[in-house]
Amino acid sequence: MVYAPRSARHGALLVGTFAVLGLLTACGNSSHDVHSNPPLTSSGTAAPATGGTRTPGSATPTPSAAATGPGAAASSAPHATASAGGGTTSTGAASSRCHTSQLRASVGRNDPGAGQENFPVVLTNSSAQTCTLHGYPGAAFVNASGGQLGPDPKRESGSPATITLRPGQSAWAGLTFSNPGVSGARTATPAALVVTPPDERDSLKVTWAGGAVPVGGNSSSVFLSVFTPGTAP
């Protein structure tokens, strides 16, 4: 057995004590870090949230494409513009087309000007149902036997709009021709004007009280305009 001096034994004991204390301290710090520091996360894409999407730079979520409500319903409703004395013009048809059996025809007062004769051809909804008109009427002058006088009227350029007619409301189209006394056209005096609503085959007959009309020769053309809400210009 080798004898070690007392001072050497004391130094070894101190070294061992510090080593044990250091080990315990390291273990204690490691346990504290696990519980107090937050876990690290990696970047990635989160799952989409339900109930809408958020526009970048905005704190308020915007409704998803499938959302419904008063705003969505209003955006799909037809836009209509009211017109005094008649129906309404609309960008979307809200009712079915007006059929001949639902309408009453009339010819308004002549409004001459600059050698032109101008008559409003009026269609009125005489039914109990709302319906629509779109485009031009068909028309022809006829004699007492029903034979046509002159060629079919031509169409003036225009932009047709869908006109919604509630019961009792009207729309008119202009019937225009040059005054035969000025143009020198060959004339005849019709017994009636036959009017056909847009997209219909059946016609309505109106007694003609507007005098002689051009039926041949120079400047004998008769023109029709698109329908406009009301009964006159």
Side-chain angles (χ1 to χ4, degrees):
M1 175 175 172
V2 179
Y3 174 77
R6 180 178 179 183
S7 60
R9 291 198 305 272
H10 180 71
L13 180 60
L14 290 176
V15 170
T17 300
F18 283 124
V20 172
L21 290 175
L23 181 60
L24 291 175
T25 302
C27 291
N29 289 341
S30 176
S31 176
H32 176 74
D33 289 343
V34 169
H35 293 286
S36 63
N37 294 337
L40 297 177
T41 58
S42 60
S43 61
T45 302
T50 60
T53 58
R54 191 168 74 90
T55 304
S58 171
T60 304
T62 58
S64 65
T68 59
S75 65
S76 62
H79 174 72
T81 304
S83 176
T88 57
T89 56
S90 174
T91 57
S95 306
S96 62
R97 185 181 84 244
C98 292
H99 299 291
T100 303
S101 60
Q102 297 175 277
L103 300 168
R104 181 180 71 253
S106 61
V107 177
R109 180 177 56 85
N110 184 19
D111 184 21
Q116 294 290 113
E117 309 300 321
N118 306 293
F119 295 87
V121 177
V122 181
L123 291 181
T124 302
N125 182 0
S126 59
S127 74
Q129 306 295 323
T130 298
C131 61
T132 60
L133 291 176
H134 182 91
Y136 297 81
F141 293 112
V142 297
N143 58 26
S145 301
Q148 182 169 337
L149 300 173
D152 291 338
K154 299 179 180 180
R155 292 179 174 181
E156 290 184 345
S157 60
S159 300
T162 299
I163 301 173
T164 300
L165 298 180
R166 294 193 296 271
Q169 290 188 323
S170 303
W172 68 276
L175 178 79
T176 303
F177 54 85
S178 296
N179 186 306
V182 176
S183 68
R186 189 171 77 254
T187 67
T189 301
L193 178 71
V194 175
V195 181
T196 307
D199 301 313
E200 291 290 298
R201 294 182 180 274
D202 295 331
S203 300
L204 299 165
K205 185 178 288 187
V206 184
T207 299
W208 179 257
V213 300
V215 295
N218 295 333
S219 301
S220 61
S221 295
V222 178
F223 295 91
L224 286 168
S225 68
V226 297
F227 275 109
T228 301
T231 58

